[in-house]
Structure formats: structure tokens, C-alpha cells
């Protein structure tokens, strides 16, 4: 899913959608997840610049906002970065605090299971934010679409998810990708040609990563090579 940056005429509704998804997801989880999401929501609502996608706030300020010590702030910020929700845009230096961005698309994807708890109208409102099928299925595959037998691997499980989501796109682009292993929290997939690799990386990587992360949330990236 690619969510438009929350600016312009629909900015307010998009912001509420993101915060609503976080809230509903937190309420459906245990107290540890609830506390973590409450903390990220506090950063979003008090200091996040939506238009510039920037959170500029020192560890001391965050500790005061969260009512914790700075060691807790360091641990929690590291968890949020590892989770893919926070992105370090500029490392802090002497006299200057770090600048973070918010991966709003990842937040929505990770909270997708809680959308129905808000209501069908919420789900239908967010679904159009996904990549339109006609934009990525302009190449008709003449090959038989085949889903790999479940061999217990991460990629075979992700293939089943991708096929269930859209068999046409799976057959045209994902079926030909071969598992090249997982290393340093990244799954590497081999494409048959450089063009194939470039197209998937440019147009379908978020959909691909989303499916992989539903199987193994520790994976933070998918590399496409030829």
C-alpha cells in the first residue's frame, strides 16, 4: 500500500485514519504493545511535522513526554526503527538533535488486522490507497500460473499470499522470482532478467515486502537481483 502524504484538502481525514488504525491495533494487543503505540502516537500528535515528514526532538524531551528516563527512550526508539516505523533521516551531532521520518505506510500495513474493528467504512476508505491493479498488470502473462509447493520456506509462504491477493500480477511478475536466501534481515530474490528485476523493484516492492513481512515480521527488506 502507498499512502499519499497527509497534506492538502484530505490531510485531516488521512491523519485521523492513521491514528485510528494505531489506536484500534493497540487496544487489540497486550499492555506492552499498547504502551509502545501510545508512545509513538504521543510523538506524532505533539511534535511530528506531517508536511515535511520530520520528527525533530531530543532524547531529553522525549523522556519528559513519555515520563521515562533517557535509557528507555534509546531502547524504544531503536525498537521503532527496527520495526520500520521510524526512519533516521539525519543523525544527531553536537548541538543538533536527530531528525526522524515516520513510515506511515508501514504503520498502516502492520495494523491492517485491526481495520475491521473500526468498521467496514474504514476498510473501504483505505483499500483504494493500494496500487491500482491496472497500473501493474498491463503485461499479460501467457504462462500457466503456478504456486510453488509449500516447502516451509519464507518465500514459498509469501508466494501463496501474493497469489491469493492477485493471481494475474503473481503470474506476470512474482512467479518467476527465485529464492536466493535471507541475510541480515533481508530476503534476496533472483529475477530472470534485469528488466524484470528493475520493474518489480520500482513498482511492486512494497506489495512484495508486505507479503513477506506477514510471514516473518523480522524481515526489513527485499532485494531483487538479476
Amino acid at each position: 500500500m502507498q499512502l499519499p502524504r497527509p497534506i492538502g484538502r484530505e490531510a485531516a481525514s488521512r491523519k485521523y485514519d492513521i491514528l485510528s488504525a494505531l489506536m484500534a491495533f493497540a487496544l487489540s494487543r497486550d499492555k506492552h504493545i499498547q504502551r509502545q503505540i501510545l508512545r509513538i502516537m504521543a510523538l506524532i500528535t505533539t511534535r511530528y511535522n506531517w508536511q515535511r515528514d520530520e520528527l525533530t526532538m531530543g532524547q531529553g524531551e522525549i523522556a519528559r513526554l513519555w515520563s521515562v528516563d533517557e535509557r528507555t527512550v534509546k531502547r524504544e526508539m531503536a525498537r521503532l526503527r527496527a520495526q520500520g516505523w521510524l526512519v533516521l533521516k539525519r543523525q544527531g551531532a553536537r548541538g543538533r538533535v536527530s531528525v526522524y521520518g515516520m513510515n506511515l505506510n508501514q504503520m498502516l500495513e502492520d495494523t491492517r488486522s485491526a481495520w475491521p474493528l473500526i468498521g467496514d467504512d474504514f476498510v473501504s476508505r483505505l483499500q483504494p490507497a493500494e496500487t491500482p491493479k491496472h497500473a501493474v498488470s498491463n503485461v499479460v502473462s501467457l504462462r500457466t500460473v503456478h504456486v510453488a509447493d509449500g516447502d516451509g520456506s519464507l518465500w514459498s509462504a509469501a508466494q501463496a499470499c501474493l497469489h491469493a491477493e492477485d493471481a494475474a500480477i503473481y503470474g506476470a511478475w512474482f512467479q518467476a522470482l527465485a529464492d536466493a536466501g535471507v541475510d541480515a534481515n533481508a530476503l534476496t530474490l533472483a529475477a530472470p532478467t534485469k528488466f524484470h528485476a528493475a520493474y518489480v523493484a520500482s513498482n511492486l516492492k512494497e506489495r512484495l515486502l508486505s507479503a513477506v513481512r506477514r510471514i516473518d515480521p523480522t524481515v526489513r527488506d527485499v532485494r531483487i537481483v538479476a
Side-chain angles (χ1 to χ4, degrees):
M1 174 196 315
Q2 186 65 39
L3 178 77
R5 175 76 21 209
I7 56 177
R9 295 171 60 183
E10 298 181 1
S13 62
R14 293 197 189 112
K15 293 174 184 178
Y16 277 118
D17 284 344
I18 293 165
L19 293 172
S20 296
L22 289 169
M23 175 185 62
F25 183 76
L27 292 171
S28 69
R29 295 301 190 269
D30 63 32
K31 63 181 181 181
H32 304 292
I33 300 297
Q34 290 174 359
R35 182 170 56 193
Q36 182 187 50
I37 294 181
L38 180 59
R39 287 170 174 169
I40 193 73
M41 290 178 70
L43 295 179
I44 291 173
T45 56
T46 61
R47 288 293 186 270
Y48 180 54
N49 185 317
W50 294 88
Q51 186 167 10
R52 297 173 59 183
D53 182 29
E54 288 186 356
L55 172 70
T56 306
M57 196 174 183
Q59 290 184 352
E61 292 179 282
I62 297 175
R64 185 169 60 250
L65 175 65
W66 289 354
S67 297
V68 298
D69 56 34
E70 292 191 26
R71 292 179 60 186
T72 300
V73 171
K74 290 180 181 178
R75 289 195 301 268
E76 192 74 306
M77 296 294 274
R79 290 192 194 100
L80 290 168
R81 290 197 304 272
Q83 194 169 318
W85 287 17
L86 274 185
V87 179
L88 181 62
K89 301 179 73 171
R90 187 174 70 238
Q91 181 65 54
R94 181 170 298 188
R96 189 178 65 186
V97 301
S98 296
V99 178
Y100 293 94
M102 297 275 183
N103 191 340
L104 304 177
N105 292 314
Q106 191 62 60
M107 291 182 190
L108 279 178
E109 193 58 49
D110 289 348
T111 59
R112 183 188 288 265
S113 62
W115 295 0
L117 301 177
I118 301 173
D120 292 340
D121 59 325
F122 184 85
V123 176
S124 61
R125 186 163 65 250
L126 289 191
Q127 291 296 351
E130 296 183 357
T131 305
K133 292 181 180 180
H134 68 269
V136 293
S137 59
N138 53 350
V139 175
V140 179
S141 174
L142 300 179
R143 297 170 295 173
T144 301
V145 177
H146 171 70
V147 182
D149 294 332
D151 58 7
S153 69
L154 169 61
W155 177 230
S156 68
Q159 282 181 298
C161 291
L162 291 164
H163 179 267
E165 286 179 1
D166 193 314
I169 292 176
Y170 171 83
W173 299 106
F174 297 136
Q175 178 178 329
L177 300 178
D179 189 349
V182 179
D183 180 54
N185 290 346
L187 171 65
T188 300
L189 298 171
T193 65
K194 289 184 178 180
F195 172 78
H196 196 114
Y199 186 91
V200 172
S202 299
N203 298 281
L204 298 168
K205 184 173 178 179
E206 285 204 15
R207 181 183 293 216
L208 186 58
L209 181 58
S210 171
V212 171
R213 281 177 52 81
R214 286 203 295 274
I215 309 302
D216 185 350
T218 66
V219 174
R220 297 302 170 195
D221 192 19
V222 175
R223 305 186 187 111
I224 314 297
V225 300

